Amino acid sequence: MGRPRILILGGTNEARLLAEALAARDDYDVLLSLAGRTEKPATQPVSVRIGGFGGAAALADFLKAGGYDLLIDATHPFAERISANAAFAAETTGIAAITLRRPEWQSVAGDRWRDVQSIPAAIQALGPSPRHVFLATGRQGAHHAEAGPQHHYLVRSVDPVEPPLALDNVDYVLARGPFTLEGECDLLRQHHIDVIIAKNSGGAATYAKIEAARLLGIEVMMVARAPASIVEAGDTVEAALAVIDHLFPPAMKRGV
């Protein structure tokens, strides 16, 4: 038997770290797939494919044609469409599939969180009176702010929001994490922010805005995650590696 073929649906730091760990072992043939939404993706440690598959059925065809043995969904916790496509493709092909999702943030003493199910729900929950809103959800879904045109928005994203929002009061910041607590506090003060809309992404890279909100007493509308579509392999790279080793024992254990 040749090296097991693994397709990682990536775009997260966890996906890169997992690919790095698998590449170091040289026991597996790994392809990392990136959606291509970021204009300048970071360098990756394994072979990379950029671009969508064209839907769930096309992903299933790709897996079959490539002779893949394992599909790993290590996309962003809010990449719900590709996660649903991955679940469908795994089920229709019979290929083993696991999900690697970083842990959610948990509220602590001093946080003023309001849990919401979506960005539109958060916009509605802002109420009728004008507020200064930090829309920290990236460019995907930023257009939902147009439903609350009375507010002042600060929108931060890695790439520009195209087309620009049809709003009178909106400022844009182009930046990629990780962010610092001091920098986030300065940003919130500079723009007189009184509420943050954030996705519960987890991880350290963008957590500073949550810490800053706690220090400054700012409300956070926290958009909840949808349940995982594929069996979760824990929430760390180490946990995912343990599952992979169980499914496909390394060459030394196989006696190769």
Side-chain angles (χ1 to χ4, degrees):
M1 176 183 174
R3 295 187 303 166
R5 300 203 76 192
I6 298 175
L7 175 64
I8 301 176
L9 304 178
T12 59
N13 188 49
E14 290 77 20
R16 183 184 62 79
L17 292 173
L18 178 60
E20 198 172 72
L22 291 172
R25 296 179 174 197
D26 200 35
D27 281 317
Y28 308 99
D29 182 2
V30 181
L31 177 65
L32 178 61
S33 176
L34 304 176
R37 289 187 179 139
T38 301
E39 291 178 0
K40 296 179 180 178
T43 302
Q44 304 292 339
V46 296
S47 298
V48 172
R49 175 193 183 279
I50 295 180
F53 291 91
L59 174 56
D61 290 342
F62 182 89
L63 289 167
K64 285 188 289 187
Y68 285 91
D69 302 290
L70 176 64
L71 173 64
I72 301 175
D73 178 8
T75 57
H76 190 276
F78 284 86
E80 293 164 15
R81 181 178 300 173
I82 186 62
S83 292
N85 288 350
F88 174 89
E91 184 176 350
T92 56
T93 59
I95 292 171
I98 59 175
T99 300
L100 171 58
R101 299 172 104 189
R102 68 184 76 140
E104 293 180 312
W105 294 321
Q106 303 293 331
S107 61
V108 300
D111 283 329
R112 295 177 54 207
W113 288 14
R114 188 190 304 192
D115 293 323
V116 291
Q117 295 305 306
S118 64
I119 298 173
I123 300 296
Q124 184 176 11
L126 292 171
S129 300
R131 303 187 69 177
H132 287 78
V133 184
F134 180 19
L135 188 60
T137 57
R139 63 176 178 167
Q140 303 291 326
H143 64 279
H144 290 300
E146 294 173 354
Q150 71 272 30
H151 305 297
H152 299 254
Y153 293 97
L154 171 65
V155 179
R156 183 166 67 192
S157 56
V158 174
D159 298 314
V161 177
E162 297 289 353
L165 303 182
L167 294 167
D168 292 332
N169 300 305
V170 57
D171 292 313
Y172 299 96
V173 174
L174 295 180
R176 185 197 298 267
F179 301 103
T180 66
L181 178 57
E182 182 181 6
E184 297 292 68
C185 285
D186 288 345
L187 184 72
L188 296 176
R189 290 191 184 103
Q190 178 186 344
H191 292 271
H192 309 289
I193 299 300
D194 59 67
V195 60
I196 297 173
I197 298 177
K199 295 176 178 177
N200 196 334
S201 303
T206 61
Y207 185 65
K209 65 177 176 282
I210 307 302
E211 291 183 288
R214 185 186 310 134
L215 282 175
L216 300 176
I218 294 172
E219 181 181 16
V220 177
M221 302 274 190
M222 188 64 77
V223 180
R225 297 181 185 181
S229 303
I230 297 174
V231 174
E232 295 197 43
D235 52 23
T236 65
V237 170
E238 291 74 22
L241 288 172
V243 173
I244 294 168
D245 282 346
H246 178 73
L247 290 171
F248 309 104
M252 190 178 296
K253 293 182 182 178
R254 294 199 307 263
V256 174

